[in-house]
Amino acid sequence: MQFSFETEGGNFSKAGTASSEIKKILNQLNVDYRIIKRVIVALYEAEVNIVAHAHHGWILVDIDTERIRIILDDEGPGIPDIEKAMEAGYSTASAKVREMGFGAGMGLPNIRKNADEFRIESEINKGTKLEITVYFK
Ligand SMILES: Nc1ncnc2c1ncn2[C@@H]1O[C@H](COP(=O)(O)OP(=O)(O)O)[C@@H](O)[C@H]1O
Ligand SMILES: [Mg+2]
């Protein structure tokens, strides 16, 4: 099964669309709620990162009997130092984004923690690509 979503930078009211849709689908598929929770935390953080830090993004979700794989591909500034960005508490979020309650610098560490497999690649002034896989068992 495949699903796709588009995300716009700056549109916080729509952040969470993909994660709530995918939550419904995984519930319908009777996936263990602990697994669903991990998928949704990772996907939500990745969605918010596109909204907070990039211009535009595409989210591709592939579900089979064994696992869910999510690819998030954005057009944006890219991440100059991925290792630093992965550190807990590191954030370049603007004051405005922080006022809205985002920008704690825990998104990427939480994505990595909740994924079974996690890949991130980024190119300056082009964009960032994440691949998140969670196994159902
Ligand atoms: N999709 C993205 N495009 C550009 N920069 C990003 C993206 N995702 C994360 N970053 C960078 O990595 C930092 C850390 O991300 P994260 O751990 O989610 O913290 P936060 O979003 O709260 O700042 C961000 O502050 C930003 O500098
Ligand atoms: Mg974040």
Side-chain angles (χ1 to χ4, degrees):
M1 266 186 281
Q2 293 200 328
F3 305 90
S4 62
F5 304 89
E6 273 190 71
T7 308
E8 263 171 84
N11 192 349
F12 280 93
S13 67
K14 267 178 81 183
T17 306
S19 37
S20 56
E21 279 303 307
I22 294 303
K23 186 179 183 178
K24 277 186 220 156
I25 289 157
L26 293 179
N27 266 315
Q28 279 162 9
L29 294 170
N30 285 317
V31 173
D32 187 296
Y33 74 95
R34 287 162 295 192
I35 305 264
I36 296 179
K37 203 170 155 194
R38 286 171 49 213
V39 171
I40 295 317
V41 168
L43 176 53
Y44 179 71
E45 290 293 349
E47 267 190 283
V48 167
N49 277 354
I50 296 175
V51 176
H53 307 295
H55 308 315
H56 197 94
W58 292 268
I59 302 173
L60 224 96
V61 180
D62 181 79
I63 300 173
D64 67 19
T65 53
E66 277 160 20
R67 52 104 184 109
I68 177 166
R69 177 163 290 150
I70 304 163
I71 291 168
L72 300 102
D73 210 350
D74 74 51
E75 284 173 356
I79 302 176
D81 186 342
I82 289 178
E83 220 175 298
K84 202 167 178 185
M86 292 299 308
E87 282 174 14
Y90 177 83
S91 177
T92 62
S94 64
K96 213 173 149 191
V97 168
R98 282 166 199 266
E99 264 170 41
M100 287 187 280
F102 301 98
M106 292 308 295
L108 289 175
N110 275 329
I111 295 169
R112 177 159 62 185
K113 195 176 86 187
N114 283 287
D116 288 314
E117 285 165 23
F118 174 57
R119 285 196 194 95
I120 177 167
E121 47 189 78
S122 192
E123 210 178 317
I124 302 300
N125 292 324
K126 280 218 143 161
T128 300
K129 188 175 177 181
L130 266 58
E131 193 180 308
I132 298 165
T133 305
V134 177
Y135 290 93
F136 296 144
K137 283 213 168 67

